[in-house]
Structure formats: structure tokens, C-alpha cells
Amino acid sequence: MGVPEPAASAEVLLAELLGVRRSELASYPGPLSEEQAALYEGWISRRVKREPVQRILGYAYFRNLRLELDEHALIPRPDTESVVDAALEAVDRRDGSCRVLDVGTGSGTISISIAQERSSCDVHATDYSEGALWIARRNAERAGAKVRFHRADLTSGLDALEGSVELLVSNPPYVRSTDIPDLAPEVRDWDPHPALDGGPDGLDFYRRIFAGAAPLLADGADVVLEVGDEQAEEVLEIGRCAGYIPLGTHPDLAGTPRAALLRWGSS
Ligand code: GLN
């Protein structure tokens, strides 16, 4: 199978190369300089080999942000924008200000968006990968967003936050290990497998997050977790068994439940 939507890739790459909007390409006075043409040819040949547009460019757009990428972090997905919407709704129910913890932040996608869009929040974020954290810190700085990054295996070693986190959010790895070989080449060959691989049933990280996060959560804390297709109900059930109150789901742009919503504690 060839490159999906080849015209879209070709146009986005050209627009980024020229620094114009995609819609402005048709009226671009042209021609390309030799250097531009050579660069563009190089980019197109990489795309033909199924390297994602965002990896070729070295950055991705997400909500208001342009995030630099790192080989240790997933390319931010449009689906995750709806997870941020769900998280912001929870922040707004708390008058726009609360302590947030984003577990496995990657290039900083969720944590930086929350910090940038709700600047009164006290936003913390973890990742296992030093490389991802390095790029996340740069991304936060560039966005003017204040996020405190911690190197951690999920929620481990965050004792200083004990009982104080009011919003827990995460886009954990959730692909079943055996499904990874069947993913699109753009994902399988370019996204880091530790950020994708959710174990035999894809749900390992939900179990670990529910168990590990509990001591950090304030009574009544909101929990917003991105889920894969058809995982929402199972994730809500795993949470219920771990002592959380399932609240429901939040859809992505296609209407698919993309976030599982839960509450910790009694209120
Ligand atoms: N949405 C990604 C994919 O399947 C998976 C991301 C994740 O595991 N959190 O392409």
C-alpha cells in the first residue's frame, strides 16, 4: 500500500517549506529556488518511505502549540486534543485553577496545553524518558507555559505531591502488544514502542496508573485517561475495581469515546 492521502502530505510539506498556509499554495508566485527544490525532493522521498510528515519537519501542531518532536515521544495526535478538552472541563469545574499531574507526557503535549490554556493551574508532568523530558522542557519554555517535569516511572517517586493532585490526566501506551506489527508504518516504524505497547491486552498501564496514583490524589480528584478504540468501558471497570468512581467518557472529533472519566474518593 502507498502513502495515504499523498496530496495532503505533499501540500503540507510544501506549505511548511515556504512558510505559507496550505490554502495559499495555489497563488504562490514561485518558482522554488534550487535549494528549496532539493530540500523538498528529499522530504518527499522520505515521505514515500512512510516517514510521517511531522517527523520530517521535526515538529507537530497541537491545539495552540507547535511542539518539537523527539524519537522517544509519540507524535501528538488530533485525538488527544479532545482529551485536553475533557481535562480543561474538569479544571473549569474547579474555577480554572488546580494541581494537575500528566503521567507520561512525552513531548509535553497534554501538560503544556493545560498550563498554557489555564495558567492558574499548578501543572506537573512525568516521563520515563530523559530524551522526551528534555524536549518537553524546551516545548514548555517556547510556549511560555509553566510545567514542573519529573523523571519518573509513571507516578513513582512523587511523594511530595501526596494527597494533593486534583486532576490526573494521561495518554498511556494502550496498543495490544500483538497488534503492533499491524499498525500503519508511520506509527509502527516511527513512534517509540514503549509509548505504544500496552501489554497483552493493551490495558497494563491503566492498572498501574490507578494503583500508583491513588496516594497522590486529593479526595474528589478528577481522572481523565485517553483510551484506545473500544477500551473505554474496560478502563472504567478497571478503575471501579481499584476504588475509583466511573463517571463516563468523552468523545473525540469522530464521536468515538476517547477519554475515560473517573473520580477518586468520596465526593
Ligand atoms: N493512538 C495511538 C495509535 O494507535 C496509540 C497511542 C497510545 O498508545 N497512547 O496510533
Side-chain angles (χ1 to χ4, degrees), residues 74 77 171-175 187 195-196:
L74 290 183
R77 313 281 207 267
N171 173 19
Y174 54 63
V175 180
V187 180
L196 294 171

